[in-house]
Amino acid sequence: MGMLCAVSFNRYGRLYYLDPGELRPQVGDKVLVPTDDGPEVAECVWAAQWVTEETEGFPRLVGLAGDDDLRRDEALRRRKAEAKVAAKRLIRAHGLPMKVVAVDHVLGSAEGGGERSTVYFTAPHRVDFRSLVRDLGATLHCRVELRQLSARDSARVQGGIGSCGRDLCCATFLTDFEPVTIRMAKDQDLPLNPLRISGACGRLMCCLKYEHPLYARFQETAPAVGARVTTPEGEGRVIGHSVPRDAVTVRLDADGSRSMCSRADVCGSRRAYESRDQSGPEGPTPTSTSTPTRQR
């Protein structure tokens, strides 16, 4: 058990959880977060509080950001904006089929490390950008790297709003991409319309995987559509499933009406268990007002 706080480098961006140590940052405070290129300024979006999880492996905050740190962060953001504008202008000048997604910039350090800009872009195919790198380096007066992103990584970097009305999962809390298949959409009875099951990246939505295990377990135990079952209201045939309700829809033989029954009510193994539990190996259990001693 320990304390954690959450910070973000950009508003509505991905959350990073850190151990506050002796600090107690509040929402809106500027803090220093350790990175590979040294401490960077981030905003606290979740105040430090006690959690039940083990916090041993989480990185620790360096401290609260001072005036010098804020000025350095402002200069860094200004350099990023300049690099992004220059990259877009030179891409148009070279006529390359590229789209700039984001720019990362590292200021020069006292240890001798020079400035470096990394331009992230998307393209429909591999692009020869050697001349573009030379012109960008001459314009920005620093070392320049270009990295091509996939469609999913592009959505993660840019962020956005999903069809659910919330921020994209990949831009907020997902740490890696798990395989998502069209079979998951079929198992959940979703319309196989690409516009309905695709995310902002144009690929299958990552959230298709969230509830898929629930649907898989339901299908393993529930009677299939078309199977004959016995319900508390009589015999009938299964005509549909309702996984969120853990129920099946049955058309009754008596009057043709529809009845929604719990999966447990029409599950053969459950009925057999209850029948065996009530009758026991030696016949029906006699009614008694005393407290039963048998362990269930």
Side-chain angles (χ1 to χ4, degrees):
M1 186 174 181
M3 297 194 75
L4 285 180
C5 65
V7 304
S8 176
F9 291 98
N10 300 298
R11 186 172 294 275
Y12 307 119
R14 172 174 293 187
L15 300 182
Y16 296 88
Y17 296 91
L18 297 100
D19 181 357
E22 302 299 325
L23 303 173
R24 296 297 180 267
Q26 300 298 315
V27 175
D29 289 349
K30 300 294 185 179
V31 295
L32 293 176
V33 178
T35 68
D36 294 338
D37 298 310
E40 297 289 346
V41 177
E43 181 178 351
C44 180
V45 296
W46 184 41
Q49 57 184 273
W50 292 99
V51 296
T52 57
E53 290 80 7
E54 179 60 44
T55 61
E56 186 70 26
F58 285 87
R60 176 170 292 196
L61 287 180
V62 176
L64 296 176
D67 293 338
D68 292 339
D69 299 315
L70 295 178
R71 282 193 291 270
R72 183 175 180 276
D73 183 63
E74 182 62 28
L76 182 62
R77 294 179 183 275
R78 185 165 54 251
R79 288 289 287 165
K80 286 182 180 180
E82 293 172 356
K84 192 170 186 177
V85 171
K88 289 183 176 180
R89 176 174 56 82
L90 289 174
I91 285 174
R92 287 196 299 268
H94 284 265
L96 297 174
M98 301 165 58
K99 177 182 177 182
V100 177
V101 175
V103 174
D104 193 15
H105 189 82
V106 177
L107 296 175
S109 62
E111 290 77 10
E115 292 193 28
R116 181 178 75 254
S117 282
T118 304
V119 180
Y120 299 93
F121 70 94
T122 58
H125 48 75
R126 293 183 63 86
V127 180
D128 184 3
F129 49 71
R130 287 174 292 184
S131 59
L132 174 63
V133 172
R134 288 195 298 268
D135 291 348
L136 268 176
T139 302
L140 300 177
H141 305 291
C142 66
R143 185 159 62 91
V144 177
E145 296 179 4
L146 269 72
R147 296 183 182 178
Q148 186 170 354
L149 298 180
S150 65
R152 290 186 183 274
D153 286 325
S154 174
R156 167 187 283 180
V157 172
Q158 295 183 93
I161 304 297
S163 57
C164 59
R166 300 176 65 89
D167 295 319
L168 298 180
C169 299
C170 58
T172 51
F173 65 88
L174 283 184
T175 57
D176 53 11
F177 295 117
E178 297 185 8
V180 182
T181 63
I182 195 68
R183 182 67 187 177
M184 295 179 180
K186 293 180 179 179
D187 291 343
Q188 298 176 52
D189 252 350
L190 296 175
L192 301 183
N193 183 344
L195 297 178
R196 298 285 300 276
I197 60 177
S198 298
C201 59
R203 304 294 191 269
L204 291 174
M205 292 188 295
C206 295
C207 56
L208 291 176
K209 191 175 181 64
Y210 296 167
E211 297 181 359
H212 183 255
L214 175 66
Y215 281 80
R217 288 194 299 268
F218 182 91
Q219 292 175 357
E220 289 176 357
T221 57
V225 175
R228 295 197 57 80
V229 295
T230 300
T231 73
E233 300 179 19
E235 303 234 344
R237 189 180 299 275
V238 177
I239 60 174
H241 292 158
S242 179
V243 179
R245 297 183 181 181
D246 195 25
V248 297
T249 303
V250 179
R251 187 184 300 279
L252 299 176
D253 294 339
D255 54 4
S257 62
R258 296 187 177 187
S259 174
M260 182 167 289
C261 307
S262 170
R263 176 175 55 89
D265 290 338
V266 298
C267 180
S269 57
R270 173 63 179 269
R271 292 200 311 273
Y273 169 79
E274 291 180 345
S275 175
R276 184 178 65 253
D277 185 45
Q278 293 174 3
S279 61
E282 299 180 357
T285 303
T287 303
S288 173
T289 58
S290 62
T291 303
T293 59
R294 184 159 56 104
Q295 297 297 320
R296 293 180 180 270

